[in-house]
Amino acid sequence: MSQISKEQVLKSLSKVDDPDLKKDLVTLGMIKNLEVGDSRISFAVELTTPACPLKELIRSQCEDVIYADFGEAVELSILMTSNVTSIRDNAPLLPGVKNIIAISSGKGGVGKSTVTSNLAVALARSGASVGIIDADIFGPSIPTMFNCEHEQPGIIEKNGKNVILPIEQYGVKLISIGFLTPPENAVVWRGPMASSALKQFIGDTEWGELDYLLIDLPPGTSDIHLTLVQTVPVTGAVVVTTPQKVALADAQKAYSMFKQPQINVPVLGIIENMSYFTPEELPNNKYYLFGQNGGKLFAEINNAPFLGEVPLVQSIRESGDSGYPAVMKDGITADAFNGIAQAVAQQVAMRNAAKEKTKVVEVNV
Protein backbone atom coordinates (compact mmCIF):
# COMPACT_ATOMS: atom_id res chain seq x y z
CA MET A 1 0.00 0.00 0.00
CA SER A 2 1.38 3.44 -0.92
CA GLN A 3 1.84 6.16 1.68
CA ILE A 4 -1.53 7.56 2.81
CA SER A 5 -1.73 11.36 3.12
CA LYS A 6 -3.92 13.38 5.45
CA GLU A 7 -5.36 15.19 2.43
CA GLN A 8 -6.54 11.88 0.97
CA VAL A 9 -8.20 10.89 4.24
CA LEU A 10 -9.93 14.25 4.58
CA LYS A 11 -11.17 14.00 0.99
CA SER A 12 -12.58 10.59 1.82
CA LEU A 13 -14.26 11.79 5.02
CA SER A 14 -15.78 14.77 3.22
CA LYS A 15 -18.25 12.26 1.76
CA VAL A 16 -19.80 11.79 5.23
CA ASP A 17 -22.47 14.34 6.22
CA ASP A 18 -23.76 15.18 9.67
CA PRO A 19 -27.43 14.12 9.21
CA ASP A 20 -28.70 17.02 11.33
CA LEU A 21 -26.49 19.88 10.15
CA LYS A 22 -26.60 18.79 6.47
CA LYS A 23 -22.90 19.45 5.88
CA ASP A 24 -19.92 17.14 5.69
CA LEU A 25 -17.76 16.39 8.74
CA VAL A 26 -14.65 18.05 7.27
CA THR A 27 -16.42 21.32 6.42
CA LEU A 28 -17.95 21.36 9.91
CA GLY A 29 -14.49 20.92 11.49
CA MET A 30 -15.58 17.75 13.27
CA ILE A 31 -12.49 15.69 12.31
CA LYS A 32 -9.81 16.08 14.98
CA ASN A 33 -6.34 14.64 15.71
CA LEU A 34 -5.94 12.98 12.31
CA GLU A 35 -2.90 10.70 12.15
CA VAL A 36 -1.85 8.54 9.19
CA GLY A 37 0.82 5.91 8.51
CA ASP A 38 1.60 3.35 5.81
CA SER A 39 -1.47 1.27 6.61
CA ARG A 40 -2.86 3.08 9.65
CA ILE A 41 -5.44 5.86 10.01
CA SER A 42 -6.67 7.31 13.28
CA PHE A 43 -8.84 10.33 14.02
CA ALA A 44 -11.52 11.63 16.35
CA VAL A 45 -15.02 12.71 15.32
CA GLU A 46 -16.09 15.58 17.56
CA LEU A 47 -19.89 15.51 17.78
CA THR A 48 -22.04 18.45 18.84
CA THR A 49 -23.29 16.65 21.96
CA PRO A 50 -22.47 13.49 23.92
CA ALA A 51 -26.18 12.63 23.65
CA CYS A 52 -26.04 12.44 19.86
CA PRO A 53 -28.50 9.73 18.74
CA LEU A 54 -26.66 9.30 15.42
CA LYS A 55 -23.24 8.53 16.89
CA GLU A 56 -23.02 4.96 15.63
CA LEU A 57 -24.42 5.87 12.21
CA ILE A 58 -21.72 8.50 11.73
CA ARG A 59 -19.01 6.08 12.91
CA SER A 60 -20.26 3.42 10.52
CA GLN A 61 -20.30 5.81 7.57
CA CYS A 62 -16.73 6.92 8.35
CA GLU A 63 -15.60 3.29 8.39
CA ASP A 64 -17.36 2.60 5.09
CA VAL A 65 -15.70 5.44 3.16
CA ILE A 66 -12.24 4.75 4.59
CA TYR A 67 -12.36 1.03 3.78
CA ALA A 68 -13.81 1.78 0.33
CA ASP A 69 -11.03 4.24 -0.52
CA PHE A 70 -8.04 2.63 1.22
CA GLY A 71 -8.93 -1.07 1.41
CA GLU A 72 -10.07 -3.42 4.15
CA ALA A 73 -6.46 -4.02 5.26
CA VAL A 74 -6.06 -0.50 6.67
CA GLU A 75 -5.75 -0.30 10.46
CA LEU A 76 -8.49 2.15 11.42
CA SER A 77 -9.09 3.79 14.81
CA ILE A 78 -12.01 6.19 15.29
CA LEU A 79 -12.62 7.97 18.60
CA MET A 80 -16.09 9.46 19.01
CA THR A 81 -15.86 12.57 21.21
CA SER A 82 -18.09 15.58 21.73
CA ASN A 83 -18.00 19.31 22.31
CA VAL A 84 -21.41 20.86 22.90
CA THR A 85 -21.93 23.83 20.61
CA SER A 86 -22.87 27.29 21.83
CA ILE A 87 -23.70 30.74 20.50
CA ARG A 88 -23.24 32.40 23.92
CA ASP A 89 -19.70 33.71 23.32
CA ASN A 90 -18.55 36.45 25.68
CA ALA A 91 -21.84 36.44 27.60
CA PRO A 92 -21.62 38.84 30.58
CA LEU A 93 -23.87 36.63 32.72
CA LEU A 94 -23.27 32.88 32.99
CA PRO A 95 -20.16 33.05 30.77
CA GLY A 96 -19.33 29.37 31.32
CA VAL A 97 -22.81 28.15 30.36
CA LYS A 98 -23.07 27.05 26.73
CA ASN A 99 -26.85 26.69 26.44
CA ILE A 100 -29.78 27.99 28.50
CA ILE A 101 -32.98 25.99 27.96
CA ALA A 102 -36.34 27.13 29.34
CA ILE A 103 -38.72 24.29 30.26
CA SER A 104 -42.24 25.69 30.14
CA SER A 105 -45.88 24.68 30.33
CA GLY A 106 -49.02 26.67 30.03
CA LYS A 107 -50.76 24.66 32.75
CA GLY A 108 -49.75 23.36 36.14
CA GLY A 109 -49.87 19.65 36.89
CA VAL A 110 -48.60 18.40 33.53
CA GLY A 111 -45.36 17.06 35.01
CA LYS A 112 -43.01 19.83 33.87
CA SER A 113 -40.66 19.48 36.85
CA THR A 114 -40.63 15.69 36.45
CA VAL A 115 -39.65 16.14 32.81
CA THR A 116 -37.00 18.73 33.73
CA SER A 117 -35.46 16.48 36.37
CA ASN A 118 -35.31 13.39 34.19
CA LEU A 119 -34.11 15.32 31.16
CA ALA A 120 -31.27 16.83 33.20
CA VAL A 121 -30.18 13.48 34.63
CA ALA A 122 -30.38 11.82 31.20
CA LEU A 123 -28.15 14.53 29.69
CA ALA A 124 -25.71 14.25 32.60
CA ARG A 125 -25.55 10.46 32.27
CA SER A 126 -24.73 10.87 28.57
CA GLY A 127 -21.62 12.83 29.56
CA ALA A 128 -22.83 16.44 29.47
CA SER A 129 -22.41 18.94 32.30
CA VAL A 130 -25.88 20.08 33.42
CA GLY A 131 -27.54 22.42 35.90
CA ILE A 132 -31.12 23.28 36.89
CA ILE A 133 -32.52 26.57 38.14
CA ASP A 134 -35.85 25.91 39.86
CA ALA A 135 -37.59 29.13 38.80
CA ASP A 136 -40.95 28.04 40.20
CA ILE A 137 -40.48 30.26 43.24
CA PHE A 138 -43.93 29.65 44.74
CA GLY A 139 -44.03 25.88 44.19
CA PRO A 140 -40.47 24.54 44.10
CA SER A 141 -40.38 20.80 43.32
CA ILE A 142 -36.76 20.18 42.34
CA PRO A 143 -35.40 19.63 45.89
CA THR A 144 -37.91 16.82 46.49
CA MET A 145 -37.34 15.24 43.10
CA PHE A 146 -33.60 15.08 43.78
CA ASN A 147 -33.97 13.93 47.40
CA CYS A 148 -32.12 16.91 48.83
CA GLU A 149 -34.89 19.11 50.25
CA HIS A 150 -33.07 19.45 53.58
CA GLU A 151 -29.74 20.50 52.06
CA GLN A 152 -28.47 24.06 52.03
CA PRO A 153 -26.16 25.58 49.42
CA GLY A 154 -22.82 26.97 50.50
CA ILE A 155 -21.54 30.51 50.14
CA ILE A 156 -18.07 31.50 48.92
CA GLU A 157 -16.42 34.81 48.21
CA LYS A 158 -15.42 35.44 44.62
CA ASN A 159 -13.95 38.72 43.36
CA GLY A 160 -15.02 40.42 46.58
CA LYS A 161 -18.62 39.21 46.25
CA ASN A 162 -20.51 36.40 48.01
CA VAL A 163 -21.81 33.80 45.59
CA ILE A 164 -24.00 30.73 46.10
CA LEU A 165 -22.64 27.23 45.55
CA PRO A 166 -25.34 25.04 44.00
CA ILE A 167 -26.22 21.64 45.43
CA GLU A 168 -24.99 18.75 43.28
CA GLN A 169 -27.00 15.52 43.03
CA TYR A 170 -26.85 12.70 40.44
CA GLY A 171 -24.30 14.73 38.48
CA VAL A 172 -26.62 17.77 38.17
CA LYS A 173 -26.05 21.19 39.79
CA LEU A 174 -29.21 22.55 41.44
CA ILE A 175 -30.48 25.78 42.92
CA SER A 176 -33.99 26.39 44.25
CA ILE A 177 -35.78 28.65 46.71
CA GLY A 178 -36.66 25.32 48.37
CA PHE A 179 -33.05 25.11 49.62
CA LEU A 180 -33.29 28.54 51.24
CA THR A 181 -36.65 28.38 53.04
CA PRO A 182 -38.16 25.77 55.39
CA PRO A 183 -40.02 23.12 53.32
CA GLU A 184 -43.29 23.66 55.20
CA ASN A 185 -43.28 27.46 54.76
CA ALA A 186 -45.13 29.26 51.96
CA VAL A 187 -43.23 31.83 49.91
CA VAL A 188 -45.60 34.83 50.02
CA TRP A 189 -43.91 37.37 47.77
CA ARG A 190 -44.98 39.90 45.21
CA GLY A 191 -43.75 39.47 41.65
CA PRO A 192 -40.69 41.76 41.93
CA MET A 193 -39.33 39.76 44.89
CA ALA A 194 -39.71 36.48 42.99
CA SER A 195 -38.00 38.05 39.97
CA SER A 196 -35.19 39.26 42.21
CA ALA A 197 -34.66 35.70 43.49
CA LEU A 198 -34.40 34.40 39.91
CA LYS A 199 -31.83 37.08 39.09
CA GLN A 200 -29.78 35.95 42.08
CA PHE A 201 -29.96 32.33 40.96
CA ILE A 202 -28.62 33.46 37.57
CA GLY A 203 -26.08 36.12 38.50
CA ASP A 204 -25.01 35.28 42.07
CA THR A 205 -24.54 31.50 41.76
CA GLU A 206 -21.26 29.79 40.90
CA TRP A 207 -22.36 27.64 37.96
CA GLY A 208 -18.92 27.15 36.45
CA GLU A 209 -18.74 25.37 33.09
CA LEU A 210 -22.04 23.84 31.93
CA ASP A 211 -23.18 22.43 28.60
CA TYR A 212 -26.86 22.87 29.46
CA LEU A 213 -28.60 24.96 32.13
CA LEU A 214 -32.30 24.04 32.36
CA ILE A 215 -34.71 26.64 33.75
CA ASP A 216 -37.76 24.96 35.32
CA LEU A 217 -40.32 27.74 34.85
CA PRO A 218 -43.61 28.10 36.75
CA PRO A 219 -46.86 27.41 34.87
CA GLY A 220 -48.34 30.15 32.73
CA THR A 221 -46.74 33.32 31.37
CA SER A 222 -45.73 35.56 34.25
CA ASP A 223 -43.15 37.92 35.74
CA ILE A 224 -40.67 35.05 36.03
CA HIS A 225 -40.78 34.33 32.30
CA LEU A 226 -40.23 37.98 31.44
CA THR A 227 -37.43 38.32 33.98
CA LEU A 228 -35.66 35.34 32.45
CA VAL A 229 -35.73 36.62 28.87
CA GLN A 230 -34.84 40.15 30.01
CA THR A 231 -31.84 38.90 32.01
CA VAL A 232 -30.13 36.35 29.74
CA PRO A 233 -30.44 35.31 26.10
CA VAL A 234 -32.17 31.92 26.13
CA THR A 235 -30.92 29.34 23.64
CA GLY A 236 -34.35 27.77 23.26
CA ALA A 237 -37.53 26.69 24.99
CA VAL A 238 -39.24 23.34 25.44
CA VAL A 239 -43.01 23.20 26.02
CA VAL A 240 -44.41 20.32 28.12
CA THR A 241 -48.06 19.33 27.78
CA THR A 242 -50.42 16.43 28.32
CA PRO A 243 -52.66 15.20 25.47
CA GLN A 244 -56.04 16.60 26.50
CA LYS A 245 -57.60 19.74 25.04
CA VAL A 246 -57.58 21.79 28.26
CA ALA A 247 -53.80 21.34 28.65
CA LEU A 248 -53.08 21.97 24.97
CA ALA A 249 -55.00 25.26 25.07
CA ASP A 250 -52.68 26.55 27.80
CA ALA A 251 -49.61 25.05 26.11
CA GLN A 252 -50.47 27.13 23.06
CA LYS A 253 -50.24 30.28 25.18
CA ALA A 254 -46.80 29.25 26.47
CA TYR A 255 -45.66 28.52 22.93
CA SER A 256 -47.03 31.82 21.64
CA MET A 257 -45.23 33.78 24.36
CA PHE A 258 -41.81 32.60 23.17
CA LYS A 259 -42.74 33.29 19.54
CA GLN A 260 -43.74 36.93 20.16
CA PRO A 261 -41.51 39.20 18.06
CA GLN A 262 -40.22 41.13 21.07
CA ILE A 263 -39.26 37.89 22.87
CA ASN A 264 -38.35 35.66 19.91
CA VAL A 265 -36.92 32.62 21.72
CA PRO A 266 -36.68 29.56 19.43
CA VAL A 267 -38.93 26.70 20.53
CA LEU A 268 -36.84 23.52 20.46
CA GLY A 269 -39.90 21.30 20.57
CA ILE A 270 -42.89 19.80 22.36
CA ILE A 271 -42.85 17.00 24.94
CA GLU A 272 -46.07 15.10 25.66
CA ASN A 273 -46.23 13.76 29.22
CA MET A 274 -48.75 11.20 30.54
CA SER A 275 -49.34 10.06 26.97
CA TYR A 276 -50.86 6.75 27.97
CA PHE A 277 -51.20 4.51 31.02
CA THR A 278 -49.42 1.16 31.03
CA PRO A 279 -49.88 -1.20 34.00
CA GLU A 280 -46.64 -2.82 35.13
CA GLU A 281 -48.20 -6.30 34.91
CA LEU A 282 -49.49 -5.62 31.36
CA PRO A 283 -46.64 -3.73 29.68
CA ASN A 284 -48.07 -4.15 26.18
CA ASN A 285 -51.40 -2.54 27.09
CA LYS A 286 -51.85 1.18 26.50
CA TYR A 287 -54.80 3.14 27.88
CA TYR A 288 -55.11 6.70 26.55
CA LEU A 289 -56.67 8.29 29.61
CA PHE A 290 -56.19 11.88 28.48
CA GLY A 291 -56.66 11.41 24.74
CA GLN A 292 -54.28 10.32 22.03
CA ASN A 293 -51.68 12.21 19.96
CA GLY A 294 -52.65 15.64 21.30
CA GLY A 295 -49.01 16.68 21.68
CA LYS A 296 -48.07 15.45 18.22
CA LEU A 297 -50.95 17.35 16.64
CA PHE A 298 -50.04 20.47 18.65
CA ALA A 299 -46.46 20.23 17.34
CA GLU A 300 -47.65 19.77 13.75
CA ILE A 301 -50.02 22.74 13.93
CA ASN A 302 -47.22 24.97 15.19
CA ASN A 303 -44.56 23.50 12.87
CA ALA A 304 -42.48 22.58 15.93
CA PRO A 305 -40.44 19.41 16.52
CA PHE A 306 -42.16 16.69 18.55
CA LEU A 307 -39.49 15.56 21.01
CA GLY A 308 -41.22 12.49 22.41
CA GLU A 309 -43.90 11.09 24.68
CA VAL A 310 -43.68 9.87 28.26
CA PRO A 311 -46.04 7.15 29.53
CA LEU A 312 -48.03 7.44 32.75
CA VAL A 313 -46.72 4.66 34.98
CA GLN A 314 -46.65 4.24 38.74
CA SER A 315 -42.84 4.15 38.88
CA ILE A 316 -42.60 7.79 37.73
CA ARG A 317 -44.68 8.94 40.69
CA GLU A 318 -42.65 6.73 43.04
CA SER A 319 -39.41 8.10 41.64
CA GLY A 320 -40.57 11.69 42.06
CA ASP A 321 -41.59 11.08 45.67
CA SER A 322 -38.42 9.19 46.56
CA GLY A 323 -36.13 11.67 44.84
CA TYR A 324 -34.55 9.06 42.60
CA PRO A 325 -35.38 10.05 38.99
CA ALA A 326 -37.06 7.38 36.87
CA VAL A 327 -34.45 7.71 34.11
CA MET A 328 -31.93 6.10 36.47
CA LYS A 329 -33.94 2.85 36.46
CA ASP A 330 -34.34 0.42 33.58
CA GLY A 331 -37.69 0.36 31.81
CA ILE A 332 -39.93 2.13 29.33
CA THR A 333 -39.76 5.40 31.26
CA ALA A 334 -35.96 5.52 31.15
CA ASP A 335 -36.07 4.72 27.45
CA ALA A 336 -38.54 7.56 26.88
CA PHE A 337 -36.50 10.16 28.76
CA ASN A 338 -33.21 9.06 27.18
CA GLY A 339 -34.81 9.42 23.75
CA ILE A 340 -36.13 12.87 24.66
CA ALA A 341 -32.71 13.95 25.96
CA GLN A 342 -31.15 12.93 22.66
CA ALA A 343 -33.85 14.82 20.74
CA VAL A 344 -33.37 17.99 22.83
CA ALA A 345 -29.57 17.88 22.39
CA GLN A 346 -30.09 17.34 18.67
CA GLN A 347 -32.38 20.37 18.40
CA VAL A 348 -29.95 22.56 20.38
CA ALA A 349 -27.12 21.65 17.98
CA MET A 350 -29.31 22.36 14.94
CA ARG A 351 -30.53 25.63 16.43
CA ASN A 352 -26.97 26.79 17.17
CA ALA A 353 -25.87 25.96 13.63
CA ALA A 354 -28.79 27.53 11.79
CA LYS A 355 -30.22 30.44 13.77
CA GLU A 356 -28.93 33.79 14.99
CA LYS A 357 -28.22 34.43 18.64
CA THR A 358 -31.21 35.05 20.89
CA LYS A 359 -31.18 38.63 22.12
CA VAL A 360 -32.05 39.80 25.60
CA VAL A 361 -35.50 41.43 25.66
CA GLU A 362 -34.99 45.13 26.24
CA VAL A 363 -38.55 46.41 26.09
CA ASN A 364 -41.36 46.19 28.63
CA VAL A 365 -44.12 43.80 27.56
Side-chain angles (χ1 to χ4, degrees), residues 85-351:
T85 57
S86 177
I87 52 169
R88 301 195 67 251
D89 303 330
N90 303 315
L93 279 174
L94 302 173
V97 176
K98 291 185 175 181
N99 296 288
I100 300 171
I101 303 173
I103 312 293
S104 176
S105 72
K107 187 174 183 59
V110 299
K112 174 181 47 59
S113 295
T114 297
V115 169
T116 302
S117 302
N118 283 278
L119 174 58
V121 173
L123 288 168
R125 285 162 69 89
S126 77
S129 50
V130 186
I132 295 177
I133 290 179
D134 187 354
D136 194 348
I137 304 299
F138 302 107
S141 303
I142 295 300
T144 300
M145 293 189 169
F146 279 84
N147 192 30
C148 52
E149 58 263 57
H150 300 294
E151 307 237 358
Q152 289 188 320
I155 303 288
I156 62 168
E157 186 175 314
K158 186 176 181 181
N159 300 325
K161 174 183 174 182
N162 288 336
V163 295
I164 304 167
L165 287 177
I167 303 294
E168 188 161 346
Q169 184 77 306
Y170 311 134
V172 179
K173 293 181 179 179
L174 311 166
I175 195 66
S176 170
I177 198 69
F179 296 137
L180 306 173
T181 59
E184 66 278 4
N185 284 17
V187 177
V188 187
W189 289 351
R190 294 191 184 274
M193 289 182 66
S195 295
S196 177
L198 176 59
K199 288 180 180 178
Q200 277 199 296
F201 291 163
I202 292 170
D204 297 337
T205 302
E206 181 56 35
W207 289 107
E209 304 288 327
L210 291 179
D211 293 321
Y212 307 101
L213 178 60
L214 309 187
I215 315 294
D216 184 24
L217 290 168
T221 53
S222 65
D223 285 358
I224 291 294
H225 301 70
L226 291 177
T227 298
L228 174 64
V229 299
Q230 288 179 318
T231 305
V232 288
V234 178
T235 305
V238 171
V239 177
V240 180
T241 186
T242 46
Q244 74 270 40
K245 186 176 179 180
V246 67
L248 293 168
D250 288 340
Q252 184 65 58
K253 295 180 177 65
Y255 178 89
S256 299
M257 180 198 71
F258 290 113
K259 301 299 286 186
Q260 287 185 14
Q262 63 267 51
I263 293 178
N264 196 30
V265 170
V267 176
L268 301 172
I270 312 301
I271 297 173
E272 184 186 272
N273 193 28
M274 308 184 205
S275 297
Y276 54 86
F277 169 63
T278 295
E280 188 174 355
E281 64 276 12
L282 297 169
N284 294 322
N285 288 30
K286 295 182 179 181
Y287 302 94
Y288 295 92
L289 304 180
F290 303 119
Q292 189 172 355
N293 293 327
K296 284 183 181 178
L297 181 60
F298 174 74
E300 288 174 8
I301 290 171
N302 289 283
N303 196 27
F306 183 67
L307 300 173
E309 57 184 30
V310 182
L312 175 63
V313 295
Q314 183 173 328
S315 61
I316 296 184
R317 193 275 306 163
E318 292 171 346
S319 295
D321 287 351
S322 67
Y324 192 79
V327 75
M328 299 174 69
K329 308 170 185 176
D330 292 334
I332 59 170
T333 306
D335 294 341
F337 281 122
N338 283 320
I340 287 169
Q342 291 178 346
V344 169
Q346 198 172 22
Q347 290 298 323
V348 169
M350 293 166 64
R351 177 261 181 276

